[in-house]
Amino acid sequence: MKKKILVLSFFLLSNIIFCQETEGETKYKEETKSLIRYLLSEFLSKPNWIERTATLVNIEDCRNKYESPIFNKEELEYIKLSIDNPKITYWTQDFFPTSQVVESRKIQKRKDQGIETIAYFSSPIFLRNYEIALIRFSVVSGELSGVGYEGIFIKKGDIWEIDVCSWDN
């Protein structure tokens, strides 16, 4: 009996230890929230809806910027690895307290109801101890109206600033 209790307690204890967020994951979430607040305040009006599925940074859109001297070889490899293995695949409500996170299949229903402001965000890629971020984001306001960016952002103090590579429609 003691052996069973010992094995069970070891199993439960290991699950508790391994299920906790690491310091790195907490920092990633904090910096992601900070970057999103900046993007919403500087580039996008507050959208009604956020697409739940995270989009992907597309290195092909900005190849000349990603291959510039701004990144070293190891950072370029990390960027490619992060594109293939994003840290966020689905957004949760805690990242967007003033908007509703919904699945794309529900977005069409919202459009049919006349609610058309929908934003899309990729999982950000942070470099150099969270001083540089790569992210893709866009907002669609109607059938023929939208704006989007994929860019490199530099953190100066507590403030993010766009550095290079933006696009819009």
Side-chain angles (χ1 to χ4, degrees), residues 9-142:
S9 61
F10 176 77
F11 176 76
L12 292 174
L13 183 61
S14 65
N15 277 342
I16 291 168
I17 291 170
F18 292 116
C19 290
Q20 293 177 346
E21 268 188 7
T22 66
E23 185 178 329
E25 290 170 338
T26 301
K27 177 75 170 166
Y28 183 85
K29 282 185 177 181
E30 289 171 7
E31 292 298 334
T32 299
K33 288 177 183 180
S34 169
L35 180 60
I36 287 172
R37 278 191 305 273
Y38 166 74
L39 297 175
L40 289 173
S41 69
E42 296 295 319
F43 294 92
L44 307 171
S45 60
K46 291 181 182 173
N48 298 93
W49 309 102
I50 306 295
E51 164 58 48
R52 181 175 177 258
T53 304
T55 59
L56 297 174
V57 171
N58 186 355
I59 200 167
E60 299 301 321
D61 288 346
C62 304
R63 183 162 296 284
N64 62 329
K65 300 299 182 190
Y66 292 119
E67 291 180 351
S68 73
I70 197 168
F71 299 120
N72 63 42
K73 183 178 178 181
E74 291 80 23
E75 289 171 329
L76 287 171
E77 289 302 317
Y78 178 76
I79 290 168
K80 291 175 186 173
L81 180 66
S82 296
I83 290 170
D84 292 338
N85 302 291
K87 288 191 177 189
I88 297 173
T89 53
Y90 296 102
W91 291 105
T92 56
Q93 195 63 53
D94 60 321
F95 287 99
F96 303 95
T98 60
S99 301
Q100 186 174 354
V101 177
V102 296
E103 295 177 16
S104 58
R105 61 184 171 81
K106 294 181 181 178
I107 288 173
Q108 187 57 46
K109 290 179 185 176
R110 304 297 189 244
K111 284 183 178 180
D112 295 343
Q113 295 170 357
I115 301 169
E116 298 185 7
T117 307
I118 303 163
Y120 301 83
F121 291 86
S122 72
S123 177
I125 300 168
F126 293 104
L127 299 159
R128 300 184 193 164
N129 200 24
Y130 296 93
E131 296 298 319
I132 296 177
L134 285 75
I135 191 167
R136 179 183 196 121
F137 62 99
S138 60
V139 65
V140 176
S141 302

Side-chain angles (χ1 to χ4, degrees), residues 153-166:
F153 295 83
I154 307 289
K155 191 170 189 182
K156 298 188 179 175
D158 290 337
I159 300 170
W160 288 99
E161 295 179 5
I162 191 163
D163 189 52
V164 295
C165 193
S166 64

